[in-house]
Amino acid sequence: MPRVRLLVVALLASASPALAEEPPGPFELSEWRVPGRAIEAFAVRAEDGAETVLVLSLRERPPEEGRFATWLPRDRSQPANPVEIPASAVVVDAVELGLAPGPELVWLSAGELRIVSASGETLRSERIEPPLPLPPRTWELSHLEFIRDWDSDGRLEALLPTAEGARLHPLVPGDDTQALALSLIADYGSPALDNPFRPGFLTGMLAWPTLALGDDDGDGRSDLFAATRYELLVFRAGEQGLPAKPSARRAFPRFTAEEERRHVSNTLLAFPGDLDGDGRADLVVHRMVGTLTKARATTTFHANSGAGADPLGEPWAQIDSAGGTAAVELVDIDRDGRMELLEGHVAFGVLQAVRMLTLGRVEARLRVLALPQTGGAPVETWAADVSFPFDFATSRILGLLPYVEADWNGDGLLDLCWGDGSGELRFRLGEAREGGAGFGRVAAAVKLPISGDLVSADLNGDGLADFVALDPLDLEGRVRIGINRGTLPGTKPTLRSAP
């Protein structure tokens, strides 16, 4: 072989590793571990504005299941310092109460409200009398945001579920306990003693209303909305806080007799939100009835002209979909003070069945809808199809479901990300458009071979959103962390600390 050719071959061989080296992605990835398997994570903001993440995990299995809450440290080279949650605890929350450095962990059981520090030291333990109707959990643990400023007085309270509705439990000296009358949904089963297919002497399900805060009367205070499948209760906050009984009761359209006979497969959800930017809470009512191919969803929008939104009145606008299930979420993508509606629809038909059986994938349609300020039909401002693998062995969709709660490039608009099951987390950046908002093309992808949940938080204090992802089926308790490098399109240049 001629010397020139040998030299070229040698140069190419020596250069190939450098040519093949991929540039760093938009996130610096790392891995951290908690005891058992991580099942949930949520972000908490401290008094100084810094954000951190609390991870819930389980070890072993019932009836000896161990439950833990672990704060994600700033230095991820440190091992986990889990706080064990007692079996009597029903739910946990975390919030800044000023009792110790950083946010505090709070757990609730039938007879106790306990506040502990990040290291697990008990800071306050309060007996609850009379006890709450909350038997100890048999499985797992979950986060419930039950500590908020529920009565718009500028102070935090714990909202405790009771057999009569709820009780506001003060967390600041000087506040008083207050009972709130709420409607509950109860369902019981009484299996016969000789029925081998329905174990138990009595089975029961108790559901408290869906709670949300919004300004119903336009006075600048946040009022409490409580929605069941039959009615919407509104507690209007005043100078003395919330009233003990609802200020207004508004009925929802009734389900048919056939739909009530199959009530387990039918849902009604109500979302208060300022849809037109006038400072008053309008109402979105989302109903889903039927099963599989006969499922249909109806979303109605009800304007608040000053007296409160009436779900029985003529809707401002309406969206109907059939042949599948639909989920909706109110988001302000372009941060203009007016909410958009993000809808995800999964059709159940012949094509979807063939796709699942042959390709093992489920396809969903995502779209953003804007409501014209003068009323009328919703306008679709963006739409796209996303596909996920379906694992028949675990009966779950693989990947990460669409997430729209973060501004990843810091431009002031909410962005969309999802894991499509191919081992990548994909990002579409938010865009302000004529008459609404939407998302652009895929701007970046991060290698993240995980199925489960994702939460965003500014973990290093640089002003950009980072992420924490976990798989509830991962027995090794791995928590994936992505630190934003600030290289996504549209990110403003700034000086950052070198890694």
Side-chain angles (χ1 to χ4, degrees):
M1 181 181 294
R3 292 182 182 179
V4 174
R5 187 176 176 186
L6 284 173
L7 179 60
V8 172
V9 172
L11 287 173
L12 290 175
S14 63
S16 59
L19 293 174
E21 184 177 349
E22 296 182 2
F27 290 84
E28 178 187 350
L29 302 179
S30 61
E31 191 177 284
W32 193 67
R33 302 205 178 199
V34 296
R37 59 185 181 92
I39 60 169
E40 189 175 355
F42 59 96
V44 186
R45 188 178 297 275
E47 189 175 19
D48 61 359
E51 288 183 299
T52 185
V53 169
L54 187 65
V55 181
L56 306 182
S57 64
L58 309 171
R59 190 159 57 192
E60 300 300 332
R61 58 186 182 275
E64 294 85 15
E65 188 175 60
R67 298 156 186 173
F68 301 89
T70 308
W71 294 99
L72 185 70
R74 179 66 63 92
D75 180 7
R76 259 82 65 185
S77 65
Q78 298 179 7
N81 184 27
V83 176
E84 187 165 7
I85 309 297
S88 60
V90 177
V91 292
V92 300
D93 198 2
V95 69
E96 177 61 73
L97 295 172
L99 302 179
E104 288 80 25
L105 172 66
V106 186
W107 65 69
L108 177 67
S109 59
E112 182 191 32
L113 180 78
R114 183 178 297 191
I115 305 172
V116 304
S117 67
S119 62
E121 175 189 1
T122 297
L123 303 172
R124 185 190 298 175
S125 176
E126 301 182 11
R127 299 301 304 171
I128 298 176
E129 296 291 345
L132 305 173
L134 302 175
R137 300 177 68 121
T138 302
W139 295 280
E140 302 195 352
L141 184 65
S142 59
H143 167 227
L144 175 67
E145 194 176 353
F146 66 93
I147 298 180
R148 299 181 66 174
D149 179 10
W150 293 103
D151 56 4
S152 196
D153 65 354
R155 298 185 293 273
L156 296 175
E157 304 88 23
L159 193 145
L160 311 180
T162 68
E164 294 75 31
R167 186 188 312 160
L168 284 182
H169 183 87
L171 296 174
V172 177
D175 282 359
D176 297 322
T177 301
Q178 180 183 0
L180 298 176
L182 302 178
S183 302
L184 307 184
I185 297 294
D187 192 8
Y188 299 98
S190 51
L193 296 179
D194 57 352
N195 186 348
F197 301 104
R198 296 188 63 189
F201 174 69
L202 177 69
T203 61
M205 183 279 292
L206 189 62
W208 281 264
T210 301
L211 301 180
L213 295 174
D215 190 351
D216 186 60
D217 50 8
D219 65 352
R221 296 187 179 94
S222 293
D223 307 310
L224 178 64
F225 291 76
T228 70
R229 67 187 279 121
Y230 301 115
E231 64 176 346
L232 176 70
L233 309 181
V234 182
F235 295 79
R236 289 180 170 174
E239 293 183 0
Q240 304 302 318
L242 294 177
K245 295 183 179 180
S247 309
R249 307 180 81 107
R250 301 163 189 161
F252 291 119
R254 293 290 182 252
F255 289 91
T256 67
E258 177 63 19
E259 290 165 352
E260 284 293 2
R261 191 175 69 86
R262 299 176 177 271
H263 62 271
V264 176
S265 62
N266 305 320
T267 59
L268 184 148
L269 299 172
F271 309 94
D274 187 2
L275 301 174
D276 53 7
D278 66 353
R280 294 188 296 263
D282 306 298
L283 188 67
V284 178
V285 181
H286 181 67
R287 294 165 59 99
M288 216 166 34
V289 298
T291 57
L292 293 180
T293 58
K294 294 184 178 181
R296 64 185 187 277
T298 302
T299 306
T300 53
F301 304 84
H302 303 269
N304 182 352
S305 58
D310 182 8
L312 287 181
E314 186 69 22
W316 176 8
Q318 181 170 321
I319 302 171
D320 296 291
S321 61
T325 62
V328 297
E329 182 178 354
L330 287 175
V331 291
D332 186 3
I333 297 172
D334 51 6
R335 307 289 180 91
D336 65 349
R338 299 177 64 241
M339 307 297 286
E340 287 85 33
L341 187 81
L342 177 66
E343 181 192 52
H345 182 261
V346 179
F348 287 106
V350 176
L351 289 179
Q352 190 79 279
V354 171
R355 185 183 297 112
M356 290 181 64
L357 293 175
T358 58
L359 302 178
R361 301 190 70 87
V362 175
E363 188 171 279
R365 179 74 169 172
L366 300 179
R367 60 176 183 160
V368 175
L369 297 157
L371 293 178
Q373 200 159 5
T374 56
V379 178
E380 182 182 289
T381 58
W382 175 85
D385 294 323
V386 293
S387 178
F388 301 92
F390 185 80
D391 185 3
F392 288 94
T394 58
S395 297
R396 68 168 180 166
I397 289 176
L398 301 181
L400 295 166
L401 294 179
Y403 184 87
V404 289
E405 299 178 24
D407 172 14
W408 298 107
N409 64 349
D411 65 352
L413 281 71
L414 293 180
D415 306 315
L416 168 68
C417 73
W418 77 101
D420 61 3
S422 67
E424 289 189 332
L425 181 64
R426 300 179 182 272
F427 294 84
R428 289 179 181 259
L429 303 180
E431 294 181 345
R433 302 181 176 185
E434 184 71 25
F439 304 103
R441 298 188 178 189
V442 175
V446 176
K447 293 186 182 301
L448 194 68
I450 184 175
S451 299
D453 298 314
L454 179 141
V455 63
S456 61
D458 183 4
L459 298 177
N460 57 0
D462 67 351
L464 292 176
D466 312 300
F467 69 77
V468 174
L470 55 89
D471 183 352
L473 300 186
D474 181 10
L475 299 180
E476 298 183 18
R478 289 173 292 190
V479 178
R480 273 79 169 194
I481 299 161
I483 301 298
N484 198 328
R485 286 193 169 104
T487 60
L488 283 169
T491 306
K492 293 182 179 180
T494 184
L495 291 175
R496 307 182 192 281
S497 301

